[in-house]
Amino acid sequence: MKLQPDRIETQSVTAYGPGWIAIQGEKIAHSVLITSEGLRLDWDCQSFEDLGPQHFAQLAELDVELVIFGSGERLRFPKPEWQVGLMQRRLGLETMDTQAACRTYNILAGEGRKVAAALLIEASTSKN
């Protein structure tokens, strides 16, 4: 039996590390919003503390069936009041750390799902 590697026909996260991700091989060190339909936008937040209702209102405007929120290097949940627009549109929001969000986005996009990933990329801090 001959095995063939999986090929994702949409933009995908090809690598990640502390304080960065790569989309189609291009290294990005700031927060970003991507969709399986090819949309890619800078997401104007540098830390979890920068987030507010306007960031999630932007997600509610997307034509997708699910939004994956990568909350940075650790799992943190957005405030329920930030999610009103998503709930009104009956859009699912799944929260996980950014690296898990990258993997999950790739799997769902590879399956042909209409999915978005809002990926919070925080500057890596050294812990002494």
Side-chain angles (χ1 to χ4, degrees):
M1 172 191 300
K2 185 175 181 180
L3 299 176
Q4 297 293 326
D6 288 338
R7 295 191 194 273
I8 297 177
E9 299 297 325
T10 184
Q11 68 182 341
S12 62
V13 179
T14 54
Y16 52 75
W20 64 275
I21 65 168
I23 298 173
Q24 302 304 111
E26 179 185 344
K27 191 171 180 179
I28 299 170
H30 56 75
S31 299
V32 65
L33 171 61
I34 61 174
T35 71
S36 57
E37 302 290 309
L39 178 69
R40 182 172 123 188
L41 300 169
D42 292 346
W43 204 37
D44 187 28
C45 50
Q46 287 74 45
S47 69
F48 188 82
E49 293 71 29
D50 291 342
L51 290 170
Q54 70 279 12
H55 294 97
F56 291 86
Q58 182 181 13
L59 303 178
E61 298 300 317
L62 299 173
D63 181 27
V64 296
E65 59 188 79
L66 175 67
V67 177
I68 301 166
F69 169 52
S71 64
E73 292 184 10
R74 62 188 176 88
L75 179 61
R76 294 169 285 188
F77 293 94
K79 294 179 182 180
E81 58 267 24
W82 297 352
Q83 302 175 52
V84 171
L86 292 163
M87 288 186 269
Q88 288 173 338
R89 291 210 43 232
R90 297 180 184 240
L91 272 176
L93 177 72
E94 294 292 332
T95 301
M96 52 197 77
D97 66 66
T98 295
Q99 292 185 1
C102 291
R103 295 187 299 269
T104 303
Y105 167 82
N106 281 349
I107 290 167
L108 295 174
E111 292 176 349
R113 303 274 304 270
K114 287 180 72 171
V115 64
L119 304 170
L120 179 62
I121 309 296
E122 299 176 292
S124 182
T125 57
S126 61
K127 297 173 176 72
N128 293 338

